[in-house]
Amino acid sequence: MRKVVLLGLCLVMLSVLSYGQSAESKPTPGSRPVKFLKKQIAAESFESVAVFDVNQDSKPDIVSGAYWYEGPLFFKRHTIGTVPRMNEYWDDFSTIPLDVNKDNRQDFITGGWFGKTLIWRENPGNDKEWAEHIIAKPGNIETTRSWDIDNDGVPEIVPNTPNDSLIIYRLNQTTPGKFDRHRITGKHGHGLGFGDLNNDGRGDLIVENGWLEAPAQPFAQPWTLHPDFKLGTSSVPILVVDVNQDKVNDLIVGQAHGYGLHWYEQKKDKNLKKIAWIKHPIDLVNSQYHTMEWVDIDNDGQPELITGKRYRAHNGNDPGETDPLGLYYFKWNGESFTKQIISYGPFGEGKGAGLYFSVADLTGSGRKDIIVAGKDGLYVFYNQGSE
């Protein structure tokens, strides 16, 4: 009897210990690297991709260049229209969803380096070709981004035109399909970002040779240039985020056509009248960090830096062109960034970041997937979580 009782106690103890170990071993969000499932959508691709509901069936679709791919499986390809080609480039350097003509269907905005033209393509609501409408001819367009400059809930369109003036295009509030033009400054170099750098509640613009302080009326008053830094052939976007959580925004800058990825810590001097910038390395061994996003990819409530190498950005003439391709996310640990590999390897194995990629939940899983275009193909990296 005594042996039976002792055996029973032992079994209970083992059960409790086993339960405790099981509970402790279950990872919390962000405690382990995220796993991704790679799926090819197209072998040959444009360099830009967006995700939005094209056909209003409440399922996200993938839009890239001349085609859109019907969700949720993305097997069925629909034609949007022709895109001009120059050498290795398709002249399609952004995919910005926006209902331009207010017909409750998502259109998109793009433009390219060679055509020097900013356009919007009109969603017809059926399988007809998407009509192309010219917004402006601002010069060589490196790529384009959209930000809500005036906090009215509608994003403005801001192309990076390194050789020409920096101009913001604002959707006209009374005439659907029309954009108003607002010149901010002159020639501004390679790279563009947006965010509040001086904690005045207004978003500032970041360019290669400094930051442009937003006035109270961004489309009626001049912007003030602060030439605080030189960023080189910097990324689009330059991210404006509070990296170290000290309640002031910092900068994250990739080198789009060379080696290097850094963050610039914002520091105020003692009299609080001047900003100083302390440059910290994130990754010095990879080149062509042309585009990036700041998104919570591991569902731990904190954003991560997602970026990677653009494949053949200058048709084989950039430093590091023959290095392996890579797509990564970098996690801030309170002192520095740690690098996690999403994809890595030579052409055909690794995947680059393209010029304009998207992060969206394609499956309704509550986890964000990564959708990446580029000369090395169009792919989805399905987020499998960290368990």
Side-chain angles (χ1 to χ4, degrees):
M1 181 69 181
R2 193 174 191 180
K3 289 182 179 180
V4 172
V5 172
L6 286 172
L7 180 59
L9 286 171
C10 287
L11 290 172
V12 171
M13 291 285 288
L14 284 170
S15 177
V16 171
L17 287 170
S18 175
Y19 177 82
Q21 287 172 356
S22 175
E24 289 175 5
S25 65
K26 186 177 181 180
T28 57
S31 64
R32 292 183 182 176
V34 176
K35 296 179 181 178
F36 292 89
L37 177 64
K38 179 181 178 182
K39 177 184 177 182
Q40 184 185 76
I41 304 300
E44 184 181 12
S45 173
F46 304 81
E47 290 200 70
S48 177
V49 61
V51 174
F52 57 90
D53 184 5
V54 172
N55 54 355
Q56 297 179 308
D57 64 352
S58 300
K59 298 180 179 68
D61 306 300
I62 293 175
V63 179
S64 183
Y67 306 104
W68 67 275
Y69 302 83
E70 189 173 337
L73 299 178
F74 313 114
F75 291 145
K76 190 174 182 181
R77 188 180 77 172
H78 303 260
T79 299
I80 291 173
T82 57
V83 175
R85 185 157 193 171
M86 180 66 68
N87 198 345
E88 292 185 24
Y89 292 100
W90 295 100
D91 206 25
D92 175 72
F93 288 3
S94 63
T95 313
I96 300 172
L98 185 66
D99 181 7
V100 176
N101 56 354
K102 305 298 181 184
D103 64 354
N104 295 316
R105 292 191 293 265
Q106 287 283 61
D107 315 297
F108 72 89
I109 294 161
T110 185
W113 182 267
F114 302 98
K116 302 181 180 181
T117 305
L118 187 68
I119 66 169
W120 68 278
R121 301 208 73 149
E122 183 179 354
N123 184 344
N126 51 39
D127 267 343
K128 292 182 180 179
E129 183 169 324
W130 296 39
E132 183 178 291
H133 304 272
I134 294 175
I135 298 171
K137 296 187 176 183
N140 300 112
I141 300 172
E142 183 68 23
T143 183
T144 303
R145 290 299 183 272
S146 62
W147 295 297
D148 188 359
I149 304 291
D150 56 358
N151 290 320
D152 69 346
V154 179
E156 278 68 51
I157 307 303
V158 192
N160 181 206
T161 50
N163 302 321
D164 296 275
S165 295
L166 175 57
I167 298 171
I168 295 173
Y169 296 89
R170 188 185 188 208
L171 193 59
N172 189 279
Q173 297 179 346
T174 58
T175 307
K178 181 183 177 182
F179 287 83
D180 299 319
R181 176 184 183 275
H182 300 275
R183 183 182 182 276
I184 303 303
T185 189
K187 187 175 178 179
H188 54 285
H190 192 301
L192 190 63
F194 176 76
D196 186 2
L197 286 185
N198 55 353
N199 278 353
D200 65 355
R202 299 191 290 267
D204 310 300
L205 286 162
I206 297 83
V207 291
E208 185 275 332
N209 65 334
W211 60 283
L212 290 150
E213 183 179 353
Q217 300 178 51
F219 303 124
Q221 297 173 309
W223 295 55
T224 303
L225 176 65
H226 300 272
D228 289 358
F229 38 71
K230 297 284 287 184
L231 300 177
T233 54
S234 44
S235 53
V236 187
I238 297 165
L239 295 178
V240 180
V241 296
D242 183 6
V243 171
N244 55 354
Q245 299 180 344
D246 63 353
K247 298 183 181 180
V248 293
N249 278 329
D250 311 296
L251 302 176
I252 299 178
V253 184
Q255 288 304 308
H257 297 288
Y259 283 93
L261 177 64
H262 298 83
W263 72 281
Y264 290 72
E265 182 181 3
Q266 182 180 171
K267 290 285 189 182
K268 295 280 183 69
D269 65 7
K270 292 181 180 179
N271 59 20
L272 301 178
K273 292 182 179 180
K274 186 177 179 181
I275 297 174
W277 299 92
I278 303 172
K279 185 177 179 181
H280 302 277
I282 299 174
D283 186 3
L284 305 180
V285 299
N286 289 102
S287 71
Q288 297 170 81
Y289 282 119
H290 204 294
T291 185
M292 55 190 66
E293 297 292 337
W294 184 246
V295 178
D296 182 7
I297 200 68
D298 59 8
N299 281 3
D300 70 343
Q302 298 297 324
E304 284 75 45
L305 170 63
I306 306 172
T307 185
K309 174 181 170 161
R310 182 182 170 199
Y311 176 57
R312 294 184 66 79
H314 277 162
N315 294 345
N317 296 309
D318 274 348
E321 281 283 10
T322 59
D323 295 347
L325 299 175
L327 184 65
Y328 318 103
Y329 74 91
F330 295 82
K331 188 168 184 62
W332 177 252
N333 62 18
E335 296 180 353
S336 63
F337 283 95
T338 56
K339 184 178 183 178
Q340 303 292 343
I341 295 174
I342 299 169
S343 180
Y344 182 80
F347 178 79
E349 295 180 20
K351 177 69 181 85
L355 189 62
Y356 185 113
F357 68 90
S358 295
V359 183
D361 181 359
L362 295 178
T363 64
S365 67
R367 299 184 296 267
K368 293 182 176 65
D369 311 300
I370 303 173
I371 305 91
V372 192
K375 295 185 181 79
D376 51 345
L378 175 61
Y379 288 82
V380 173
F381 289 86
Y382 288 102
N383 187 335
Q384 304 295 290
S386 57
E387 296 187 68

